[in-house]
Amino acid sequence: MIDHESDLAHVREATERLLTAAASLDNAAAAEPSRLPGWTRGHVLAHVARNADALVNVLQGLPMYPDAATRDADIERDSGRPLDVQLADVRRTADRFQAVGAEPADWSRTVELRNGVLDSASRIPFRRWAEVDLHHVDLGIGYELEDLPEEFVSREIEFLADRFAGLETVPATTLRADGGQAWKTGGTTGGVAVTGGAAEILGWLTGRRDGAALRTEGGPLPKLPPL
């Protein structure tokens, strides 16, 4: 069972980690490329702030974004702001997300995200945790996939394995972390076993690593669709 209150606490901790780390930058460093193609660190910080607003919309029964073009334009608009403005925006929007998350609500209700995706309201705090911690990694300022909390890594692998489950363009695949935990994903044909460090598996599933450090049996490393 998803514990949204626990996840909200994890979101708060992840946000503080990101803000503390990003505060070591200056305006020039914030304008440098992030690890995401075409985005500076300023784009990443702007996205983290705008995502908090978007998930508040979801919790309040509103459209996550007016449309894809508006989402992209808002990130571009905010990407070049001075670092202190960026960090204040991330904190302000994060505080608002926490406040809305603390309001009495039916956390079992179904909510709608981008592109018509439906999910339980109780999973929204975990989705926010993923946004904050993975984009912290994307800043490229010393926080790596190996530094992510073990609970988060395990749950995000499970979440993504479920997302790719049933896709016949992906062969039936067993993911096994070196520590022994295993997940299944992909379609119903084939049979590939992928083994490696949990951080490497997560990096491959999220498109942040190419999977070269993973070991495969039964076929080549499957090609995954973009998230």
Side-chain angles (χ1 to χ4, degrees):
M1 180 177 294
I2 300 172
D3 185 343
H4 73 274
E5 292 183 346
S6 176
D7 285 343
L8 283 168
H10 287 308
V11 171
R12 184 180 294 109
E13 293 165 359
T15 302
E16 290 303 321
R17 282 195 298 271
L18 184 152
L19 287 168
T20 298
S24 67
L25 302 172
D26 57 23
N27 288 335
E32 292 174 351
S34 73
R35 290 175 174 174
L36 294 178
W39 272 16
T40 65
R41 293 186 177 114
H43 284 89
V44 175
L45 292 172
H47 170 59
V48 170
R50 301 287 69 78
N51 173 262
D53 287 340
L55 291 180
V56 165
N57 288 342
V58 169
L59 290 176
Q60 294 181 333
L62 302 170
M64 187 170 181
Y65 297 100
D67 51 58
T70 300
R71 170 190 177 273
D72 295 345
D74 287 350
I75 294 170
E76 188 64 37
R77 177 199 65 204
D78 294 341
S79 63
R81 297 176 300 177
L83 180 66
D84 61 340
V85 176
Q86 295 274 28
L87 298 184
D89 192 19
V90 171
R91 182 172 294 282
R92 176 187 62 79
T93 54
D95 288 347
R96 181 168 176 249
F97 177 80
Q98 292 287 339
V100 171
E103 294 173 356
D106 174 13
W107 286 93
S108 67
R109 72 191 186 280
T110 298
V111 295
E112 183 173 343
L113 293 99
R114 291 179 67 196
N115 303 319
V117 172
L118 302 178
D119 204 349
S120 168
S122 63
R123 202 192 300 273
I124 298 305
F126 180 75
R127 285 180 176 269
R128 176 61 181 171
W129 185 8
E131 290 287 333
V132 175
D133 249 349
L134 289 175
H135 285 314
H136 188 170
V137 173
D138 295 334
L139 288 173
I141 54 177
Y143 189 64
E144 303 295 341
L145 294 172
E146 286 77 10
D147 299 316
L148 292 167
E150 183 177 346
E151 177 189 345
F152 171 77
V153 172
S154 175
R155 289 176 61 190
E156 182 68 356
I157 291 174
E158 180 180 7
F159 175 79
L160 293 172
D162 183 66
R163 179 168 180 166
F164 296 130
L167 291 179
E168 295 301 332
T169 57
V170 178
T173 304
T174 298
L175 307 170
R176 188 175 299 279
D178 287 334
Q181 192 169 6
W183 306 264
K184 291 187 179 297
T185 193
T188 58
T189 60
V192 179
V194 176
T195 307
E200 292 290 347
I201 293 174
L202 178 60
W204 171 62
L205 289 172
T206 61
R208 286 169 169 81
R209 293 190 181 168
D210 62 10
L214 299 173
R215 305 181 297 278
T216 62
E217 296 181 13
L221 190 67
K223 182 176 177 57
L224 300 175
L227 291 175

